[in-house]
Amino acid sequence: MKIILMFSNLIIPMTIGIVILYGYGRKVDLYDSFVEGAKDGMSTVAGILPTIVGLMVAVGILRASGALDILGRLVAPLTNLLGYPKETVPLTLMRLVSSSASTGLLLDLFKQFGPDSYIGRFVSIMMSCTETVFYTMSVYFMSVKITKTRYTLAGALIANLAGVAASLAITNLLYAPA
Amino acid sequence: MLNYIWGGMILVGLTVGAFNGRMQDITNTVVDSSKEAVMLCVTMLGIMSMWTGVMKIAERAGLIDTLSLKLKPLLRLLFPGIPREHLALKYISINFIANVLGLGWAATPAGLKAMEELQKLNTRKDTASNSMCMFLIINMSSLQLVTMNILAYRSQYQSANPSEIIGPGLLATVFSTIAGVAACKIFEKRRGE
């Protein structure tokens, strides 16, 4: 399993290196392209700032009111049985529905437990391997006016479930539960 | 969708908070969380613009096209229903590669074009074809190599090593994608008869 963590440290420098070499090979104007792309990135982040404000406040209210703790206690009997961290249930479900709302919940967990805690690592891995199923499906199918989606939802949910289970197993293997 | 989720979260929070006598905490949260959101975006500004800058070079150099050509043999296996040189395959591969590199802005337009082409091949226009199901299930199983925004969030909350989750995340992604493809193939066989 150590090799997986080594890979984590290599992939960003390697990607940057390969892209730059490839860019030289194709005679791309490297620095101009970089600056232009970086500008795009800045406006993207500035564009999502209002969303982040709105959702962090909403999740913050849920947290401060004690509603998230109540939900955690409600699902505890089931999650204890499965060995699933109960604090992450709201995030796991929200992940399927809304990308920005799940980001709000993710940040809340980072704040509560820290990104390097067992829970923090588990949700980081889980967020990397799942997608907003319902939203994506409706955008793509609506664009071509398809109403009968057959087994798309079932397949996507199976993929997501496998991702969540794999994340939990990998987190348990790499970092013993606290 | 967000209309209900966002409003719902706040209303549920306010109601539960009123019963629990947590109004003071809620007031503080409204002020603190909005401030925190801005701090988070400042961290993200640096990390994300660095990454999108590098990815712009990749895009200009034609890396997406080169990699999508390499994907073709694999796509033929996954989408036996699409003719060999059909445009749909090109758009699907661009969508997959852009997703792997985390280029959302390039992925979605190509994905919509792919759906358009798949619809041309489709015999029942209101029903998803096998290829459409496969395409979307793979798309939604997450393909991204480096989830830069998660790294930015981790770094904002003082992770000692924000990037340590890249490898584990990638491994989990492999599992979710394989499960999606397998499920899709099984459904295809069962309903195809």
Side-chain angles (χ1 to χ4, degrees), chain A residues 13-145:
Chain A
M14 262 174 45
T15 311
I16 297 177
I18 291 171
V19 166
I20 289 183
L21 284 177
Y22 195 79
Y24 275 129
R26 289 296 186 90
K27 300 203 178 8
V28 170
D29 206 340
L30 282 190
Y31 200 66
D32 279 351
S33 307
F34 172 80
V35 171
E36 197 184 306
K39 260 190 214 158
D40 291 349
M42 289 219 152
S43 45
T44 309
V45 174
I48 62 168
L49 173 59
T51 314
I52 301 240
V53 171
L55 285 151
M56 279 185 83
V57 170
V59 173
I61 291 176
L62 267 187
R63 164 69 57 203
S65 71
L68 285 176
D69 302 324
I70 295 175
L71 185 67
R73 250 174 280 145
L74 283 178
V75 296
L78 183 65
T79 52
N80 288 345
L81 205 68
L82 296 170
Y84 198 81
K86 65 174 189 296
E87 296 84 353
T88 64
V89 170
L91 173 64
T92 313
L93 297 176
M94 190 61 87
R95 178 68 180 141
L96 296 171
V97 183
S98 158
S99 151
S100 30
S102 56
T103 301
L105 290 167
L106 174 78
L107 296 169
D108 176 66
L109 289 173
F110 281 172
K111 194 160 53 170
Q112 293 273 313
F113 302 99
D116 294 336
S117 64
Y118 174 74
I119 287 178
R121 282 166 166 154
F122 166 57
V123 292
S124 304
I125 296 171
M126 183 183 71
M127 287 290 278
S128 326
C129 76
T130 46
E131 278 289 340
T132 346
V133 168
F134 293 99
Y135 172 77
T136 312
M137 256 186 80
S138 60
V139 167
Y140 279 104
F141 277 132
M142 254 157 58
S143 76
V144 288
K145 300 192 179 66

Side-chain angles (χ1 to χ4, degrees), chain B residues 4 15 19 22 32 38 48 79 87 89 93 104 108 113 116-117 123 132-133 138-139 144 156 160 171 175:
Chain B
Y4 294 106
T15 317
F19 276 111
R22 301 268 188 93
D32 292 344
V38 177
M48 295 307 280
F79 301 94
L87 221 49
L89 283 177
S93 57
T108 309
K113 284 247 193 268
E116 218 173 274
E117 292 300 323
T123 45
M132 286 176 176
C133 294
I138 294 178
N139 187 306
Q144 201 167 348
Q156 173 67 18
L171 188 62
F175 279 109

Side-chain angles (χ1 to χ4, degrees), chain A residues 4-5 7-9 11-12 15-16 19 22-23 26 28 30 33-34 36-38 40-42 45 48-49 52-67 70 94 97-98 100-101 103 106-107 110-111 115-116 120-121 124-125 127-131 133 136-137 139-141 143-152 154-156 158-160 162-163 166-167 170 174-175, chain B residues 1-2 5-6 9-10 12-14 16-17 20 22 25-26 29-30 33-34 36-38 40-41 44-45 48-58 60-63 66 95 108 111-112 115-116 119 122 125-130 132-133 136-137 139-142 145 147-148 150-151 153-154 157 159-160 163-173 175-176 179-180 183-184 187-188:
Chain A
I4 298 171
L5 293 177
F7 190 73
S8 298
N9 293 327
I11 187 144
I12 292 179
T15 311
I16 297 177
V19 166
Y22 195 79
R26 289 296 186 90
V28 170
L30 282 190
S33 307
F34 172 80
E36 197 184 306
D40 291 349
M42 289 219 152
V45 174
I48 62 168
L49 173 59
I52 301 240
V53 171
L55 285 151
M56 279 185 83
V57 170
V59 173
I61 291 176
L62 267 187
R63 164 69 57 203
S65 71
I70 295 175
M94 190 61 87
V97 183
S98 158
S100 30
T103 301
L106 174 78
L107 296 169
F110 281 172
K111 194 160 53 170
D116 294 336
R121 282 166 166 154
S124 304
I125 296 171
M127 287 290 278
S128 326
C129 76
T130 46
E131 278 289 340
V133 168
T136 312
M137 256 186 80
V139 167
Y140 279 104
F141 277 132
S143 76
V144 288
K145 300 192 179 66
I146 278 179
T147 49
K148 293 178 187 138
T149 61
R150 292 167 71 210
Y151 51 83
T152 310
I158 289 172
N160 263 268
S167 308
I170 292 168
L174 285 174
Y175 319 97
Chain B
M1 184 71 98
L2 264 177
I5 296 175
W6 185 70
M9 284 200 291
I10 292 183
V12 169
L14 292 180
V16 176
N20 283 348
R22 301 268 188 93
D25 300 321
I26 290 183
T29 292
V30 171
S33 296
S34 37
E36 228 179 293
V38 177
L40 172 71
C41 284
M44 279 180 75
L45 272 180
M48 295 307 280
S49 52
M50 167 68 206
W51 195 244
T52 49
V54 171
M55 284 303 153
K56 189 61 146 195
I57 301 176
R60 289 258 170 92
L63 197 60
T66 312
N95 174 272
T108 309
L112 292 173
M115 285 301 277
E116 218 173 274
Q119 180 70 320
N122 193 5
K125 297 294 181 197
D126 66 334
T127 308
S129 64
N130 284 351
M132 286 176 176
C133 294
L136 287 182
I137 289 172
N139 187 306
M140 288 186 286
S141 73
S142 168
L145 200 58
T147 39
M148 221 50 186
I150 307 270
L151 300 198
Y153 304 149
R154 287 172 58 80
Y157 286 95
S159 168
S163 63
E164 70 174 350
I165 54 98
I166 299 179
L170 201 58
L171 188 62
T173 297
F175 279 109
S176 71
C184 202
F187 283 126
E188 246 173 53

